[in-house]
Amino acid sequence: MNDHATEQSLSERIRAGDKAACAECIEIHSPAIYRLALRMLGNQAEAEDVTQETFLNAFKSIDTFEWRAGLQTWLHRIAYNNVLMRLRKPRRETVSVQVLTENEGLIETPRQLFDWCCLPEAEYATTEARAELARALNDLPEKLRAVFVLRDLEEHSTEETATILAISTEAVKTRLHRARLALRERLADYYAERINRREETK
Amino acid sequence: MEQHDCRHLLGDLSEYLDGDASAAVCAEIERHLADCAKCRVVVDTLRKTVLLYHDQPKPELDENARARLYRALDLQNFFAPKSQ
Ligand SMILES: [Zn+2]
């Protein structure tokens, strides 16, 4: 159950200092918060820290919780702000912190047109292929990565994503499309190169 | 097919794949895809990209990390290990 009534009673119990309610909240929400932090930061220890900080912040400021947005969205917003603070620290190497400098609405024309959509399933399941998926995601500019993670991996709605990131729904749509196109390009390069290599060694 | 049409439709492809494009836009895209092999590749591989990420295993907090989380919040008395 994750409806508004349940959430509101949970938040009221947390506000009243009910520790069992805090534990319940962690049980329900920590998996998704950890995944968000991990995918944004690319580092387990930091993702754990962000998960802790998020609940510390949330329980401390539960009085300011406005339930209209939903408890989950509110917690994700706190988590994302904690992620941002870490991404803003200098000397990060594991993930891209590249900011979008060019025109927000600019959609780049697809370049790599190798058709890799229907290879044998085993091609997509190799350790190398999975590692490439993770690398491609880490290399996305952070603003595109955040939208892709929330929309396509965590399956938040466009509206929830907009609330969590404090951007417009239009920006969510554009960034999601740009993120997908950029990932498609990376994977297309990867599979084109891989299949070429194979042909050469035949 | 006309390069112009490819460019023109590119921005709508995610909404098309998600089933969120209007009927008119869908029809326009499908008309174009029937004639344009390049855009068919883009649509098919874009769909595959989303699918591959969607099917990835979800990372989880391990038991030690969960225990640390409960401790950090002074809730260790409520920590129940997950039966595996
Ligand atoms: Zn075309």
Side-chain angles (χ1 to χ4, degrees), chain A residues 1-112:
Chain A
M1 283 288 282
N2 210 359
D3 60 19
H4 277 319
T6 318
E7 281 195 346
Q8 201 183 19
S9 92
L10 189 60
S11 64
E12 274 164 13
R13 284 166 57 213
I14 295 170
R15 199 170 300 165
D18 179 345
K19 285 196 155 196
C22 294
E24 213 176 297
C25 181
I26 291 175
E27 209 50 45
I28 298 169
H29 295 291
S30 63
I33 285 175
Y34 173 71
R35 290 197 301 270
L36 171 66
L38 181 62
R39 279 152 169 169
M40 288 307 295
L41 293 164
N43 176 295
Q44 282 188 15
E46 278 196 295
E48 274 183 39
D49 288 347
V50 163
T51 309
Q52 288 182 10
E53 286 161 15
T54 299
F55 287 104
L56 281 170
N57 298 156
F59 297 155
K60 214 176 287 171
S61 56
I62 190 76
D63 286 335
T64 68
F65 166 62
E66 41 162 334
W67 78 287
R68 196 173 42 82
L71 186 59
Q72 190 194 37
T73 308
W74 184 68
L75 289 169
H76 276 73
R77 191 156 162 59
I78 296 172
Y80 182 67
N81 285 334
N82 284 329
V83 162
L84 276 190
M85 275 194 295
R86 282 168 186 267
L87 285 174
R88 298 285 176 266
K89 281 183 190 160
R91 215 174 49 77
R92 292 204 59 94
E93 279 147 22
T94 46
V95 292
S96 167
V97 286
Q98 190 189 329
V99 283
L100 297 177
T101 44
E102 78 276 43
N103 179 2
E104 170 92 50
L106 183 80
I107 308 284
E108 264 179 67
T109 304
R111 185 178 41 73
Q112 174 59 265

Side-chain angles (χ1 to χ4, degrees), chain A residues 147-193:
Chain A
V147 171
F148 183 80
V149 166
L150 291 168
R151 287 285 290 120
D152 277 345
L153 299 183
E154 294 298 325
E155 299 178 60
H156 285 283
S157 68
T158 299
E159 288 70 27
E160 285 164 353
T161 304
T163 305
I164 293 167
L165 302 180
I167 58 177
S168 69
T169 54
E170 274 317 301
V172 171
K173 289 180 192 171
T174 311
R175 286 180 197 180
L176 177 64
H177 190 42
R178 292 182 60 192
R180 287 173 173 180
L181 284 170
L183 293 170
R184 190 211 72 87
E185 205 71 41
R186 269 288 290 263
L187 298 180
D189 280 340
Y190 169 74
Y191 282 108
E193 207 253 330

Side-chain angles (χ1 to χ4, degrees), chain A residues 19-20 22-23 26-27 30 34-35 38-39 48 51-52 55-56 59 107-110 113-117 121 124 130 133-134 136-137 148 151-153 155 173 176-177 180-181 183-184 187 191, chain B residues 7 9-15 17-18 20 38-46 48-50 52-62 64-66 68-70 72-75 78 80 82:
Chain A
K19 285 196 155 196
C22 294
I26 291 175
E27 209 50 45
S30 63
Y34 173 71
R35 290 197 301 270
L38 181 62
R39 279 152 169 169
E48 274 183 39
T51 309
Q52 288 182 10
F55 287 104
L56 281 170
F59 297 155
I107 308 284
E108 264 179 67
T109 304
L113 294 172
F114 172 69
D115 191 1
W116 57 277
C117 84
E121 275 309 306
Y124 305 114
R130 290 191 181 283
L133 278 189
L137 183 61
F148 183 80
R151 287 285 290 120
D152 277 345
L153 299 183
E155 299 178 60
K173 289 180 192 171
L176 177 64
H177 190 42
R180 287 173 173 180
L181 284 170
L183 293 170
R184 190 211 72 87
L187 298 180
Y191 282 108
Chain B
R7 183 71 218 165
L9 296 173
L10 178 64
D12 294 321
L13 293 183
S14 271
E15 289 201 326
L17 285 177
D18 295 341
D20 294 334
K38 279 188 189 174
C39 285
R40 277 203 299 277
V41 170
V42 172
V43 167
D44 288 345
T45 54
L46 195 59
K48 185 72 184 177
T49 299
V50 176
L52 283 180
Y53 278 100
H54 192 260
D55 290 346
Q56 267 196 317
K58 294 195 169 197
E60 281 179 30
L61 272 172
D62 65 36
N64 291 334
R66 281 184 68 238
R68 279 197 294 278
L69 174 61
Y70 278 79
L73 290 149
D74 197 20
L75 293 168
F78 295 88
K82 285 220 169 90

Side-chain angles (χ1 to χ4, degrees), chain A residues 122-133 135 190:
Chain A
E123 286 289 345
Y124 305 114
T126 64
T127 312
E128 195 194 70
R130 290 191 181 283
E132 184 62 24
L133 278 189
R135 264 199 305 278
Y190 169 74

